[in-house]
Amino acid sequence: MPLSTDAMFQSFPFLQQTLVNSLLLCEQLELALTELKLSSHSVVSVFAVGSLGRLEVGTPSDLDGVVVVDSDYQGQNNLYVMREIEECYRKLGFRVAKASGIYRLPIEVSPLIDLSQRGRLDEQPEIYGKRIQMLLDARPIYAPGQFAKLQSQVLEWF
């Protein structure tokens, strides 16, 4: 018989601590990112995946954050916005994603919901990866309402 959540936390207090820490970090990230007024830079939403998305962040940990921008973004402030977001990550004690990783650049909304890409085998892995992660282990850390709307559109895409 599987353990209940309460029994699991009593048996493994480390799990409860990682949950509490993760939730606190998500709140702090949301506040810090909201203060940046990212919507004025075409940012639709930012969501965490990986350990923070699953609410099991440890220390030290990196932050795999997906930045979603308007489809008409055209990269105008790409480096500036990403530097500002990554600085928020650093201030809260996270390491940023690898320089060559898929989390270092934002993704536009349109590739995530482009129905013409459904079923294609030649789709870029970073697009498919970000799309599927929205449904697996994503947790919004900026604009949760926009995230929920986009997540619903991605679910419809599948």
Side-chain angles (χ1 to χ4, degrees):
M1 172 184 270
L3 291 175
S4 70
T5 303
D6 289 339
M8 184 173 56
F9 285 152
Q10 289 173 358
S11 300
F12 305 99
F14 174 75
L15 293 177
Q16 184 171 18
Q17 191 58 50
T18 59
L19 174 66
V20 169
N21 289 344
S22 297
L23 289 169
L24 178 62
L25 287 167
C26 285
E27 287 177 21
Q28 292 171 338
L29 279 165
E30 186 172 356
L31 179 62
L33 293 174
T34 299
E35 289 175 359
L36 290 178
K37 301 187 183 337
L38 295 173
S39 62
S40 65
H41 297 286
S42 300
V43 176
V44 173
S45 188
V46 180
F47 59 95
V49 297
S51 60
L52 185 59
R54 293 186 303 272
L55 297 177
E56 56 186 34
V57 71
T59 55
S61 185
D62 63 345
L63 181 86
D64 298 324
V66 178
V67 177
V68 182
V69 295
D70 284 331
S71 293
D72 59 355
Y73 177 67
Q74 300 173 357
Q76 65 256 33
N77 292 318
N78 192 2
L79 294 176
Y80 170 77
V81 171
M82 293 307 292
R83 275 195 303 259
E84 292 293 310
I85 291 170
E86 289 174 352
E87 187 57 31
C88 283
Y89 299 169
R90 282 187 195 93
K91 285 179 181 176
L92 290 171
F94 288 102
R95 289 178 286 119
V96 297
K98 295 178 285 200
S100 61
I102 68 169
Y103 303 112
R104 290 306 288 266
L105 295 174
I107 186 165
E108 293 180 4
V109 171
S110 56
L112 293 172
I113 60 174
D114 181 0
L115 294 176
S116 71
Q117 296 301 305
R118 193 169 22 190
R120 293 191 57 158
L121 297 177
D122 62 345
E123 183 176 42
Q124 296 174 345
E126 62 269 13
I127 295 172
Y128 182 81
K130 289 174 182 177
R131 185 185 303 118
I132 195 73
Q133 283 184 304
M134 288 188 79
L135 304 178
L136 295 177
D137 65 357
R139 179 152 311 267
I141 54 176
Y142 172 75
Q146 289 293 91
F147 171 81
K149 179 181 173 185
L150 183 58
Q151 188 180 48
S152 177
Q153 291 173 306
V154 167
L155 186 58
E156 288 177 24
W157 184 92
F158 280 99

